[in-house]
Amino acid sequence: MSFDWSFVLTTLPAFGQSVWVTLQLGAIVILTSLVVALLNVALLGLHRPWLTRVIRAYVELARNTPLLIQLFFLYFGLPALGISLSGFATAVIAMTFLGGGYLTEALRAGVQAVPPSQLEAGRAIGLSRWQLLRHVQLPQAWLASLPALFANFIFLLKETTVASAVAVPELLYTTKNYIALYYKTYEMLAVLTLMCVLIFLPLSLALRVVERRLQHGQFGH
């Protein structure tokens, strides 16, 4: 069986659209997940036992529930309650729920890495709890959490392939459609692999460069 290069070329415009959907979904989910994580870390800073238990329960549920089940619950379960969501909206909500849990843990670990002596110094000069979080803990937590945060950004972008289960026209969805219609399995899997490498490898390298510069920047280099 020969590799059909001409067929591959005809599918490139459709895959170009799928790349845009993948990047768009990934960018939205990363941003919303980061907002959820920042909110959770800020609430954990209040040191309210009941609030801490709620956030920990959310984190455990988000991290220990498969994304596919979350997608199916929202996409197929909510209509029974009279709530219908598009595939894209379902993917954003489910992946934000998942990503928020992972990013919360990454930021929480960074906050806990801030030396207690700096918090005591902040209190000594009259900083409030929110000022300590904003000016002392979060800036240092961000730098300490960079490796884990960037790894989770890549993870969330790769998880966009699961959104094909609810008809989001990203890379995997387009690949499966072409295979089902034309039975060009090897060609389509080759294109899918190439597209993933072209997206994830440069992004991974770019995030690594940003991480190094930001971490070195704290020492004035």
Side-chain angles (χ1 to χ4, degrees), residues 74-148:
L74 293 173
Y75 196 70
F76 298 110
L78 289 184
L81 302 176
I83 304 173
S84 296
L85 300 172
S86 66
F88 193 88
T90 299
V92 169
I93 295 171
M95 292 183 65
T96 298
F97 184 79
L98 174 72
Y102 279 97
L103 297 187
T104 295
E105 281 297 280
L107 281 177
R108 183 186 62 82
V111 168
Q112 291 182 339
V114 177
S117 59
Q118 295 194 20
L119 301 181
E120 294 172 2
R123 295 189 191 99
I125 62 174
L127 294 181
S128 67
R129 184 174 294 171
W130 286 107
Q131 288 174 324
L132 280 173
L133 182 66
R134 178 183 175 185
H135 299 293
V136 179
Q137 291 176 290
L138 282 182
Q140 296 184 71
W142 171 256
L143 291 173
S145 304
L146 279 180

Side-chain angles (χ1 to χ4, degrees), residues 58-72:
Y58 156 69
V59 169
E60 292 302 318
L61 180 62
R63 296 174 65 192
N64 293 288
T65 307
L67 177 58
L68 188 61
I69 293 177
Q70 297 173 10
L71 286 169
F72 282 174

